[in-house]
Structures are given as structure tokens and as C-alpha cells.
Amino acid sequence: VENVGILAMEIYIPSQYVAQEELEKFDGVDTGKYTIGLGQSKMGFCSDREDINSICMTALHRLIEKNNINLHDIGRLEVGTETIIDKSKSVKTFLMTLFAKEGATDIEGIDTTNACYGGTAALFNTINWVESSSWDGRKAIVVAGDIAVYGKGPARPTGGAGAVAMLIGPDAPLVFDCGVRASYMTHAYDFYKPDLASEFPYVDGKLSIQCYLNALDKCYNLFCDKMKKVNPDFKGLLSLDGMLFHSPYCKLVQKSLARVSFNDFLNCAEDEREKQFPGLSQFSKHQRSETYFDRELEKAFMAYSKDLFEEKTKPSLYIARNVGNMYTASLYGGLVSYLISKSPEQLIGKKFALFSYGSGLASTMYSVNICNDMSAGSKLEKLINSLHDNIAMLDKRINVEPQAFSDSMQIRTENYHTAPYEPSGSIDILFPGTYYLVKIDDQRRRTYDRK
Ligand code: ACO
């Protein structure tokens, strides 16, 4: 099989948001902390009407409808999520309700979990399946989704919610590069969810940023080494048209691109440095491991990479800025944002890298090529047009006051384990086609309906 990649995509964003500007006032923090300091403008959230099963189902059902997918043509369905509502039963099994009623039950795959990395792991499993001896010629679907909520405090404005569904198969317009995935995995307690009685994580904010940037250094350098083996002319960021990152909040992504430039600077032959990186030679002796919170260095490389950021990364942050962290779906929301920022003609032949990070920790940098041949061109056009419909929904959302958002969080918190339970969240405000929770019975079985 050739050109295995993404054939179609769909993103689901909840119909309500809270404005970060208003949240700053409500939380009593300095004006600009969330909007400028974190780089966020709006945060999407769900009431108790939605859960991980329903948001993944909403994205999946739309992907199937819009692309007229024959359910018997799907041989694998995988979910990546860290929003756990059951310690045994996977979200994938709930998604099977759609397939099973058509008698389509010969479908491999279950859920994968490790913080924000599960979507990428599910995607890699799926690509590997299509390229393997187990493949039976059918297509596959990957769903990455999460409801990211934090307890009251500094992490709360970095929440969000959403789900992305991707159709995977051969002869795709977005093709995964082979043999160059670069991973860094190790143990860290930066962000984790050991309290099974609570929906909220334990977070060591500063450590999580350090772990993220360290993982980026490791993955980026290994990725460059692997790329150079395939193409000796590969020059890091300069050879890439785009660089996409998992986005916990947009400011960290801008800092990450600056970090990539710092790596290019360190990797540059000393006699070339002054020419390529004018005025930065005072950082020649700086070590990666000692500079994660070096203000001066960060400022200098942020300034150096400003135009690179505008060109290669900023277009990928539209959804992240307007929805917030969607955990496993965050990087793939970045991909959607990047694709809709350009026309199919502008995208043909482009290459971009993606950095996936999940606390705990698991991370990978990999790359995608936009296929050059004409048949891929029309598929690409269809894919992008369909994403424009999704994005239009962002402007149709309801702006909810911080107090009502906080009340809604309180209801989620108090009822995380209540059974039987009937959600109180409004059905009227949901977008057409949204799945929602009708009730949880005394055996904790959940029933859903579709609007
Ligand atoms: N105007 C402009 N900027 C401001 C203002 C203001 N009035 N006030 C503060 N800022 C800036 C700060 O200088 C800081 O910028 P810097 O990072 O360049 O120093 C930024 O706003 C944030 O302020 P802090 O005081 O650092 O914020 P705090 O420590 O309270 O919380 C944090 C930030 C740690 C990111 C928190 O939101 C958190 O824990 N989030 C969840 C964890 C997370 O997302 N980690 C990232 C990787 S792991 C993952 O994906 C989950």
C-alpha cells in the first residue's frame, strides 16, 4: 500500500464558551494574564449533558454522514482519550452502537490512554495496521477527544473540550512520512490523574512546562537526524513549511517554536552561526537542560523566530486559541486550523512536522506531506471544504458568563459519581446532530439521544 494517511476529517466543538477576558475579571487576576500571558481568547466547555462517549460519537457520526462512508468498509476504529468514565469498558465499544445496528461488527481497535498522547498512539496503531499483514483492504477511523477540566485555580483557564475524527487509508491527500517518527518517553509526575474519585488532574505546572520543552528538544533533534538520513539536505525548520504542536495554551506553542530555533542555532556549525543567527552568539555556550526558564534566551529566540512563527505555526492555533486544550484532540485541532488557513493550491506539495506530547510522559515528532498528484488534489479540496463547515460553528457558539460556567463546573464536580442521574444541562443550546446524555441508571448504564 502507498500514501497511507488522512482521507477525511471532522471536528466537534461544544456550543458554549467562556471569554478569557471575562474570566480574568471573574478570577480576580491581572488583566492580560489569560489573554496575553497564556495567549487564549475563548474556552469551550460542556455541561453535564455531554460526556466523552457523546462527544466522540458526535464527531464520528458526522464524519460518516458527510463522507457517505459504508460502515462495512471500516475495518478498524480506535479512540484516543484521557477522559475516563469507565475503568473497563472502552469508548470504542460505545461507538460500535452505530456500526452494530448495520451488522458491521468485524472492526478491530479499542481505546488508548496516556494524557494528551492517546490520539497520536491510536493514529500510529491505525497507520501500522494499514501497512501490515493484518490489513484486509478496508479503511480505518481514529477518534481523539477529551473534556479538559481543572479544579479552581491557575490551571482552570487552560481547559477546553472537543473531538476529532479522521478517516485513514491508502492514497490519501495527507500522507505520513515513513521511518522518521522520533519519540521520547520517560517517567514524570508532571500531570496525572491518580484520584479516581475526581475528574480533575494533579498538575505541577512548572514541571509540566519543563517536561514538555525537554521532550520537544529530544524529539526534534532525533527527528532531524532521521530526516537527514533520508534527505542529507534536510535543514530542520527551514526545510519544513509548517510546524504544529500539541497546544496546552497558545503561548507555550510560540515558546516552543522559539525553542526549535534555539536547537537549530546549537546544531549550526559555529562558523555559520553568526550569519544565520545574527546577534545571538552570546548564547553559544548555553546548555539545553539549563535554559527551560531562561528569560533572556527565551526573549531573544522569540524575537528571532517571530516571522517563522507567523508563517509556519500561528495558522495552526486558531482552534486552540478559541476552544482551549482539547487534550488528545489538541494537535489534530491544530492540523484542522492549519489546513483551513490555506487553499488546496497553496497546500499541494507542502511538508510539515507535528509534535505530540502527553504528560507522564510520552511524546513524538512526525511529519506529513501533502500529496502532489492531481487525484489527491480533489480529495484535499473536499477535505478542506468540509472542515470550513466545522469552523463556521465556532462563531455560532453561545458566550456564557463566567459565573454560569463556574456553576456548570460545580454541577459536573458534584455529580461525577452520582447514580442514578438525570443531567440538567440544556438540550436546546446543542448544535443539531449532537449526541447527548439522557440519563444514567442505577446500574450506571448511560443512555444517549441525538439532537
Ligand atoms: N499580562 C500579560 N501577561 C501576564 C500577565 C498580565 N497581566 N500576568 C501574568 N502574565 C504572564 C506570565 O508572565 C506568564 O508568562 P510566562 O510563561 O512567559 O512567564 C503567563 O502569563 C502565565 O502566568 P503564570 O504566573 O506563569 O501562571 P500560573 O503559574 O498561575 O499558571 C500554568 C500557568 C502553569 C500553565 C497553569 O495554567 C497550568 O498549570 N496549566 C495546566 C498545565 C499545562 O497546561 N501544562 C503545559 C504542558 S502539559 C499539558 O499539556 C497538560
Side-chain angles (χ1 to χ4, degrees), residues 148-437:
V149 285
Y150 292 91
K152 284 186 179 146
R156 181 158 271 188
T158 63
V164 173
M166 298 178 266
L167 182 67
I168 309 294
D171 303 319
L174 303 182
V175 181
F176 298 101
D177 272 335
C178 299
V180 293
R181 288 182 204 160
S183 294
Y184 176 70
M185 307 218 176
T186 188
H187 162 66
Y189 275 131
D190 57 332
F191 165 113
Y192 50 111
K193 294 178 177 165
D195 180 359
L196 299 176
S198 163
E199 195 173 14
F200 303 139
Y202 278 57
V203 198
D204 182 336
K206 195 169 179 206
L207 179 64
S208 74
I209 295 164
Q210 182 177 329
C211 286
Y212 179 105
L213 294 173
N214 173 49
L216 173 63
D217 286 350
K218 295 286 194 324
C219 290
Y220 179 64
N221 288 306
L222 190 58
F223 173 75
C224 288
D225 291 347
K226 291 188 181 182
M227 284 303 261
K228 275 182 203 143
K229 282 195 189 122
V230 183
N231 169 16
D233 291 333
F234 184 75
K235 291 193 178 56
L237 189 54
L238 295 180
S239 302
L240 296 163
D241 301 293
M243 180 76 112
L244 282 49
F245 300 83
H246 164 58
S247 180
Y249 51 93
C250 294
K251 197 56 170 290
L252 185 61
V253 171
Q254 188 169 358
K255 290 183 183 195
S256 297
L257 194 79
R259 191 79 198 167
V260 165
S261 287
F262 175 54
N263 275 286
D264 281 345
F265 167 81
L266 292 179
N267 294 339
C268 185
E270 282 201 35
D271 51 344
E272 283 279 309
R273 266 190 203 156
E274 189 49 38
K275 200 170 105 215
Q276 272 197 44
F277 298 89
L280 293 170
S281 52
Q282 79 258 37
F283 300 108
S284 288
K285 297 279 173 292
H286 284 59
Q287 303 288 317
R288 289 182 180 86
S289 60
E290 278 149 30
T291 49
Y292 294 117
F293 299 101
D294 185 326
R295 289 265 166 205
E296 210 191 325
L297 182 139
E298 183 185 279
K299 205 170 148 218
F301 281 91
M302 291 267 275
Y304 170 83
S305 62
K306 192 172 177 294
D307 292 346
L308 293 167
F309 172 72
E310 293 285 331
E311 180 201 334
K312 297 179 199 283
T313 303
K314 200 178 171 191
S316 72
L317 291 177
Y318 182 71
I319 295 170
R321 192 166 51 249
N322 286 293
V323 178
N325 195 353
M326 304 183 287
Y327 290 161
T328 54
S330 159
L331 179 62
Y332 301 96
L335 178 55
V336 170
S337 303
Y338 182 79
L339 293 172
I340 55 147
S341 74
K342 298 184 169 53
S343 67
E345 295 75 34
Q346 286 171 317
L347 285 168
I348 296 279
K350 296 278 192 288
K351 181 194 272 305
F352 52 93
L354 299 97
F355 174 63
S356 181
Y357 177 82
S359 293
L361 64 82
S363 61
T364 301
M365 186 168 283
Y366 66 99
S367 54
V368 166
N369 278 307
I370 304 193
C371 207
N372 247 325
D373 74 54
M374 282 323 285
S375 76
S378 65
K379 286 183 199 161
L380 181 66
E381 195 165 342
K382 190 170 165 234
L383 188 155
I384 295 173
N385 285 341
S386 145
L387 291 176
H388 277 288
D389 297 348
N390 287 201
I391 294 304
M393 304 302 264
L394 280 174
D395 296 330
K396 301 199 176 97
R397 294 180 298 169
I398 301 162
N399 179 1
V400 174
E401 295 294 316
Q403 184 61 57
F405 159 72
S406 180
D407 294 346
S408 179
M409 285 295 113
Q410 191 59 27
I411 292 171
R412 282 190 81 88
T413 311
E414 281 164 15
N415 296 297
Y416 189 52
H417 279 291
T418 311
Y421 183 62
E422 279 198 34
S424 57
S426 161
I427 297 168
D428 287 346
I429 59 156
L430 301 173
F431 291 133
T434 304
Y435 278 83
Y436 60 87
L437 183 64

Side-chain angles (χ1 to χ4, degrees), residues 30-47:
D30 290 342
T31 305
K33 182 173 176 184
Y34 302 162
T35 47
I36 299 162
L38 299 176
Q40 293 300 117
S41 28
K42 293 169 182 171
M43 176 166 58
F45 69 97
C46 303
S47 75

